[in-house]
DNA sequence: CTTACGATTACGTGGCGTGAGTGTTC
DNA sequence: TGAACACTCACGCCACGTAATCGTAA
């Protein structure tokens, strides 16, 4: 028997994923402890394994529920339908590549080599939909994985040593 | 000056899309009529054209808003970032193709040639996440585009002539 | 008068993520 | 006793779609 965290860990999933599957009725734990904790059985783990396999095929949770309810009925059909969908999606993405390739050839987009300062960098990231929180997380990850390069990066943006050190300390905290 | 429906029609968009862009502040009409109707100018149409172009490149609305606010700053960077994202997404879809190819080779999925009856068909579609409404719409489309084939399809599912005719009449209504 | 359009508000979609606030186990 | 885990709401994300209920234009 596994707790929700243990099962999630075994499959590389987040707890919230299993909570979600439980709410949907896709994967209900075999039992609950006296305190109300979910207790997953080996059979549950097997079912989750199937779910993960079908998710790796890109099937929706609804389709997966259908397959697990009546495997003979729909597994093949659902997989073949997904293949057709995949063809369409691949074509869409390739279209997007072509659109971008054309746009990048436009004259007003000639590469400009002015190095970015901090303000321009922040504006750019925000334009890509990155929030302040996202940026904080990004600094934290950078600091954790390669602190030296992080320092050099901040210097390249024109931050003074004091400002840079303050930011790095915040990223570590 | 265009009304919202006219502008949407010109660009092949739904009205709700323009309402959405207005709420986000991405595309606000130049003016409102006395009755409160949105009135879009030619400049608005030009801006919408840009938005559509960047959407065809797969950029998020947040990224597009950033580009339109400061084109020189981020257009190139945003497009290049999207290219990188596209590479990742394409690889993911190809992975899904591979997973499906492997699954379809599994012995328990040998092609079974038992023709589907109505119940099995409905269950299968529902398993793919299709609602009753979706199916109604599907019948309506089928009936509108190729009524004869629709009739033959229904017969192949085992529906009697009366039942089939009733369904087709409902699809036309 | 009709009917085709417009308005606003609120809620739904998918597949989770992210808190808040509280209880349980080790 | 404190940290790490668990619980249950409830709301957020993205790019819209949909329905309800109303007012306006041709």
């Amino acid at each position: 028997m596994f707790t929700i965290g243990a099962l999630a860990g075994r499959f590389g999933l987040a707890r919230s994923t299993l909570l979600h599957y439980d709410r949907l009725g896709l994967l209900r734990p075999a039992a609950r402890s006296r305190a109300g904790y979910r207790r997953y059985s080996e059979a549950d783990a097997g079912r989750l394994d199937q779910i993960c396999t079908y998710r790796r095929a890109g099937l929706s949770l609804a389709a997966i529920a259908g397959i697990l309810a009546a495997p003979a009925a729909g597994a093949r059909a659902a997989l073949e339908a997904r293949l057709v969908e995949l063809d369409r999606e691949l074509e869409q993405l390739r279209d997007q590549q072509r659109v971008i390739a054309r746009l990048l050839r436009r004259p007003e987009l000639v590469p400009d080599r002015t190095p970015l300062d901090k303000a321009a960098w922040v504006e750019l990231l925000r334009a890509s939909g990155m929030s302040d929180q996202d940026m904080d997380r990004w600094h934290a990850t950078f600091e954790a994985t390669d602190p030296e390069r992080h320092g050099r990066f901040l210097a390249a943006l024109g931050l003074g040593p004091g400002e840079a050190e303050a930011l790095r300390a915040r990223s570590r905290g």
Side-chain angles (χ1 to χ4, degrees), chain A:
Chain A
M1 291 297 222
F2 311 97
T3 73
I4 191 170
L7 189 63
R10 238 178 85 158
F11 283 84
L13 301 172
R15 266 191 293 255
S16 62
T17 303
L18 295 183
L19 287 175
H20 188 54
Y21 292 172
D22 189 5
R23 269 200 305 270
L24 293 184
L26 181 58
L27 181 69
R28 314 216 107 122
R32 294 276 191 144
S33 76
R34 273 147 289 138
Y37 284 24
R38 292 169 179 80
R39 317 244 108 214
Y40 291 92
S41 68
E42 273 298 340
D44 293 335
R47 187 176 168 93
L48 181 53
D49 188 44
Q50 298 222 78
I51 294 173
C52 289
T53 298
Y54 288 122
R55 281 258 73 204
R56 259 177 274 128
L59 295 190
S60 72
L61 296 183
I64 295 174
I67 291 179
L68 293 184
R76 169 168 286 271
L79 290 171
E80 286 170 350
R82 178 63 188 148
L83 268 185
V84 174
E85 236 181 60
L86 276 171
D87 275 345
R88 275 211 319 275
E89 290 179 20
L90 282 164
E91 204 182 342
Q92 281 178 22
L93 294 191
R94 283 190 287 258
D95 279 348
Q96 295 189 6
Q97 284 185 325
R98 271 178 240 121
V99 169
I100 294 177
R102 255 191 304 115
L103 286 174
L104 285 178
R105 261 184 261 114
R106 294 191 332 189
E108 68 269 31
L109 286 180
V110 285
D112 100 303
R113 292 267 166 256
T114 50
L116 293 170
D117 64 358
K118 182 189 165 194
W121 185 255
V122 168
E123 189 188 3
L124 180 59
L125 291 180
R126 202 183 306 281
S128 322
M130 199 172 253
S131 70
D132 287 1
Q133 271 196 348
D134 293 332
M135 295 189 212
D136 286 348
R137 267 196 291 274
W138 180 82
H139 278 299
T141 306
F142 203 167
E143 180 66 25
T145 58
D146 194 343
E148 200 186 331
R149 191 183 300 273
H150 191 198
R152 272 182 278 133
F153 170 78
L154 294 177
L157 285 187
L159 273 74
E163 204 179 352
E165 187 41 50
L167 177 54
R168 296 179 61 187
R170 204 152 56 81
S171 301
R172 285 190 295 268

